[in-house]
Amino acid sequence: MATLRTKPDPRKLSAAEEELFHTFYLMRRGFDRALDAQLQRDDGISISELEVLMTLVRAPGRRLRVRDLVALTGWEKSRVSHQVTRMAARGLVEREDCAEDRRATWIRLSGDGRRVVVRALPKHTATIRRILFDALSDEQQDELLAISRRMTEAMDVEQTRHEP
């Protein structure tokens, strides 16, 4: 005879779920902090600055409109605006008027910004390798990739559920 299983309360986590969530949260936050600390220490930039710089490096002509930078980073427009303002003051990016759309502004990677990326990326990549890849077997890396994809899909579904 099959036993009836009660459905867990969706508003509460079991002890095992709480442990998994807490451990995952600490790992995710710790990884971000370790990467940020390495960039600050070695190159004087933040992980957020590197994210903007790398997005611009990958862009055609190494420039993007603000709205495209918002879409590619997944940040709020105000966060992008404040970040770009700070980076422009440091000479890492430049703002340009957009001839095609007077309401838009181009954000362009500056020569100094490019030099920062070229200098920072090898050390940053080495840190990622030590913390992520060297700590996991090939099988664990495959599992983490599959888990990451599933979680990303679940977040995308959650996002679309709450869009106006």
Side-chain angles (χ1 to χ4, degrees):
M1 179 184 239
T3 60
L4 294 176
R5 225 175 121 171
T6 60
K7 201 169 188 180
D9 184 344
R11 299 168 297 168
K12 297 178 183 177
L13 298 178
S14 69
E17 290 169 332
E18 179 64 34
E19 180 183 12
L20 173 60
F21 171 74
H22 185 69
T23 303
F24 173 78
Y25 176 79
L26 291 176
M27 179 273 305
R28 184 187 56 78
R29 190 176 72 185
F31 188 56
D32 290 345
R33 286 181 175 175
L35 295 178
D36 193 56
Q38 176 272 314
L39 285 166
Q40 293 278 356
R41 181 183 61 247
D42 294 347
D43 297 294
I45 62 170
S46 69
I47 193 81
S48 297
E49 288 171 321
L50 183 64
E51 186 172 350
V52 171
L53 294 172
M54 290 305 299
T55 302
L56 291 170
V57 162
R58 294 180 184 113
R62 296 196 170 130
R63 71 179 190 169
L64 289 167
R65 292 179 185 174
V66 171
R67 70 173 182 236
D68 298 323
L69 196 50
V70 165
L72 291 168
T73 59
W75 297 355
E76 298 292 326
K77 187 176 184 222
S78 62
R79 180 179 177 193
V80 169
S81 179
H82 290 300
Q83 186 69 58
V84 166
T85 297
R86 288 189 298 271
M87 292 174 72
R90 293 183 57 201
L92 300 174
V93 298
E94 300 163 346
R95 291 181 192 263
E96 297 176 355
D97 291 332
C98 180
E100 299 88 356
D101 181 355
R102 294 193 189 279
R103 296 171 295 163
T105 303
W106 287 107
I107 308 302
R108 177 185 295 282
L109 182 68
S110 70
D112 285 347
R114 185 182 177 288
R115 283 186 282 284
V116 165
V117 169
V118 167
R119 184 182 71 235
L121 210 49
K123 293 172 277 185
H124 185 64
T125 301
T127 301
I128 292 169
R129 181 164 306 287
R130 282 190 308 274
I131 295 171
L132 177 62
F133 297 104
D134 293 350
L136 301 175
S137 68
D138 290 345
E139 294 79 20
Q140 289 170 322
Q141 289 176 36
D142 291 342
E143 290 171 9
L144 183 58
L145 178 60
I147 291 166
S148 298
R149 286 178 174 158
R150 292 209 44 178
M151 289 183 69
T152 300
E153 290 168 7
M155 288 182 281
D156 290 345
V157 168
E158 185 70 14
Q159 177 69 30
T160 58
R161 284 183 59 217
H162 297 288
E163 288 180 350

